Amino acid sequence: MNTQSTKSKMTNFGFETVTLSEKVRRVNGVFESVAPRYDLMNDLMSGGIHRLWKRYLIDRLAPRPGEAFLDVAGGTGDVAGAFLKRADVVARRRGSAKNASAVILDLNQNMLDAGQKRWDLKQYKNRLSWICGDAMDLPFEDNAFDALCISLGIRNVADRPKALSELRRVLKPGGRLAILELGHMQIPALKRAYDAYSFQVIPRMGKAITGDRASYQYLVESIRRFPEAETFKGEIETADFQHVTVSHLTGGIATLYCGCT
């Protein structure tokens, strides 16, 4: 095998360099371990601010009655539930009888199982589908969805260009894309404090809450290995998404990328 071919099959898992298949295996192991307390850890790590980031994501997607929504790496379904809730509000205002529907796709069955136990999603059980699948090989027909997102999950994908191509394939003409991801602190004066919190506090918190320090060590390392915002914006545009915008949230701790087909 030539060197270029070998390099093309390598990626990162935190600060390690691994094969694509090894990253898929390890990421699956991470979420298998943390699934039961994933939502609790998100609240604790961010002080609940991740809920505001996701609310802004929903604002930008602007759900409409009757739409089909796909939540890739959707985990426990909080974003999909928020999409349906907002679509229902719009439907009532418009007097529309059309109900939106959502599909939650995740690589890890434990995450989906945890989501299906959420009390706040029970009201949508007839409009929610839970599918165990891979972002790099989506099990859907072309042009199947009006809107889709991947929230805090794209950095865990082994082959981002392949996943972005799949997102583009399943989105209808005129469809909307939103990608929320943890990013790079944009306020120099706060960077040292942010790094100290990330590397010293989050793994210890993970150990105390989930019994798994290593998975949260991977979390903070994976954020540092994720591209700068303009670089990732370019990847999205290369996948043939149009009008791509970048919004830094909470000083750059998170970044929202939006586009359309």
Side-chain angles (χ1 to χ4, degrees):
M1 181 179 293
N2 62 47
T3 301
Q4 183 60 41
S5 177
T6 300
K7 287 183 178 179
S8 70
K9 295 182 181 298
M10 304 301 287
T11 186
N12 62 73
F13 180 82
F15 291 158
E16 295 182 61
T17 299
V18 298
T19 63
L20 300 187
S21 59
E22 178 68 6
K23 178 164 183 173
V24 171
R25 185 188 69 80
R26 289 202 196 183
V27 166
N28 198 41
V30 164
F31 289 97
E32 189 168 303
S33 172
V34 306
R37 296 198 170 184
Y38 175 80
D39 290 324
L40 173 61
M41 274 298 295
N42 276 353
D43 279 335
L44 293 175
M45 286 188 301
S46 71
I49 294 174
H50 76 100
R51 296 173 181 267
L52 299 180
W53 300 336
K54 292 169 181 175
R55 185 181 302 170
Y56 182 58
L57 180 156
I58 294 298
D59 289 344
R60 292 295 302 274
L61 281 178
R64 303 162 190 167
E67 289 193 316
F69 174 65
L70 173 63
D71 187 3
V72 179
T76 61
D78 56 341
V79 174
F83 187 95
L84 295 181
K85 181 177 180 179
R86 183 70 63 84
D88 286 355
V89 170
V90 175
R92 286 194 294 271
R93 288 174 180 168
R94 296 180 180 179
S96 173
K98 295 181 179 180
N99 288 325
S101 62
V103 176
I104 300 165
L105 179 137
D106 200 276
L107 185 65
N108 187 270
Q109 186 62 50
N110 283 13
M111 291 290 287
L112 298 173
D113 291 344
Q116 290 179 76
K117 296 175 184 176
R118 290 176 62 119
W119 65 268
D120 57 328
L121 298 182
K122 299 296 184 184
Q123 61 185 310
Y124 303 119
K125 64 180 181 180
N126 294 327
R127 292 192 276 152
L128 274 178
S129 300
W130 305 79
I131 296 177
C132 191
D134 193 332
M136 298 183 294
D137 187 18
L138 296 175
F140 308 112
E141 298 293 329
D142 296 357
N143 306 323
F145 297 95
D146 300 286
L148 59 79
C149 82
I150 178 166
S151 174
L152 307 180
I154 191 67
R155 74 182 184 284
N156 297 317
V157 175
D159 188 334
R160 284 194 308 275
K162 189 173 182 180
L164 290 169
S165 177
E166 280 290 275
L167 298 182
R168 178 64 179 81
R169 179 183 66 79
V170 303
L171 197 57
K172 294 178 182 179
R176 290 107 61 209
L177 165 79
I179 299 178
L180 177 67
E181 191 48 87
L182 298 173
H184 302 274
M185 172 59 69
Q186 301 294 303
I187 305 173
L190 296 180
K191 187 177 185 304
R192 181 175 296 181
Y194 176 59
D195 285 345
Y197 174 74
S198 297
F199 285 99
Q200 297 179 26
V201 176
I202 288 178
R204 294 176 183 174
M205 189 185 300
K207 174 66 175 178
I209 302 299
T210 71
D212 185 347
R213 179 189 178 97
S215 290
Y216 287 93
Q217 183 68 33
Y218 159 71
L219 166 71
V220 297
E221 291 178 4
S222 68
I223 297 168
R224 274 37 179 211
R225 292 297 298 269
F226 194 72
E228 295 286 348
E230 286 303 310
T231 300
F232 184 55
K233 176 187 177 185
E235 293 183 15
I236 299 171
E237 291 171 334
T238 297
D240 199 29
F241 286 97
Q242 309 298 313
H243 309 296
V244 179
T245 62
V246 176
S247 302
H248 295 295
L249 309 177
T250 318
I253 293 176
T255 304
L256 180 65
Y257 306 83
C258 293
C260 62
T261 54

